[in-house]
Amino acid sequence: MDHVTRILDQWHRERPDLDVAPMGLLGRLGRLHAHLSREIEAELAAHGLNRASFDVLATLRRAGSPHRLSPGELLAATMVTSGTMTNRIDQLEKQGLVERIANPDDGRSVLIGLTEKGFATVDRAVTAHVANQHRLTAMLSAAEFEALDALLSRYLSAFEG
């Protein structure tokens, strides 16, 4: 019995007139998110990163060679405010993981690029991150994994179109 089941049992006892099934689903999703987030943050921390810094580095890495994007492209890919992105870039630049490069197509703007150190860091981190994700989903059978993934994709699509 998980923690949410105990809460639902209490509501069934106290308010049998309420259908609390959605509370169970959403409560389980929320608690699962919290557990998974802790595990993911711990793995990223082992590489000197957090979710925010990993997000920027991984976005640059998967952009392909030469692993450079404009700040606007980074904003669109990560969906944070410009102030937040500037702060993230500043912190990553201080760590020597990214650099600001003059945009050869527009001298008034810059591109954000991975440094050699940044490339190596994100490659090590993403390898460990993927292994960690496999560990975190290993308790599901292949059929359960596929079914859950399909259901969550359908559910998420209702919000994201």
Side-chain angles (χ1 to χ4, degrees):
M1 178 183 295
D2 64 32
H3 182 73
V4 174
T5 299
R6 287 190 289 278
I7 291 170
L8 296 178
D9 287 347
Q10 291 169 338
W11 279 120
H12 286 301
R13 183 188 70 236
E14 296 299 317
R15 289 292 308 272
D17 57 308
L18 292 177
D19 176 8
V20 294
M23 183 187 296
L25 176 70
L26 297 176
R28 286 184 181 97
L29 286 172
R31 289 181 63 80
L32 188 56
H33 176 264
H35 288 293
L36 295 173
S37 290
R38 278 192 299 274
E39 296 285 334
I40 290 167
E41 285 288 348
E43 182 61 47
L44 295 176
H47 298 276
L49 303 173
N50 58 35
R51 270 203 157 151
S53 59
F54 178 76
D55 192 24
V56 173
L57 296 175
T59 299
L60 290 168
R61 176 63 176 94
R62 69 177 184 265
S65 188
H67 310 290
R68 296 176 182 161
L69 294 171
S70 71
E73 290 169 321
L74 278 171
L75 277 172
T78 58
M79 299 187 308
V80 297
T81 66
S82 61
T84 298
M85 181 55 68
T86 298
N87 185 16
R88 288 181 184 181
I89 293 167
D90 289 346
Q91 295 306 312
L92 290 168
E93 189 175 38
K94 285 178 188 172
Q95 295 171 8
L97 301 174
V98 301
E99 59 187 344
R100 288 177 166 90
I101 303 158
N103 186 339
D105 299 328
D106 179 1
R108 299 167 295 158
S109 66
V110 297
L111 298 173
I112 309 303
L114 286 175
T115 62
E116 286 184 30
K117 179 182 176 184
F119 187 92
T121 298
V122 74
D123 259 14
R124 281 191 305 274
V126 76
T127 299
H129 179 59
V130 169
N132 191 37
Q133 290 175 327
H134 279 273
R135 180 183 67 82
L136 294 171
T137 58
M139 68 279 303
L140 300 171
S141 71
E144 290 168 333
F145 182 98
E146 289 178 27
L148 181 58
D149 190 48
L151 287 170
L152 291 174
S153 177
R154 184 170 157 237
Y155 192 26
L156 184 58
S157 293
F159 291 94
E160 296 182 348

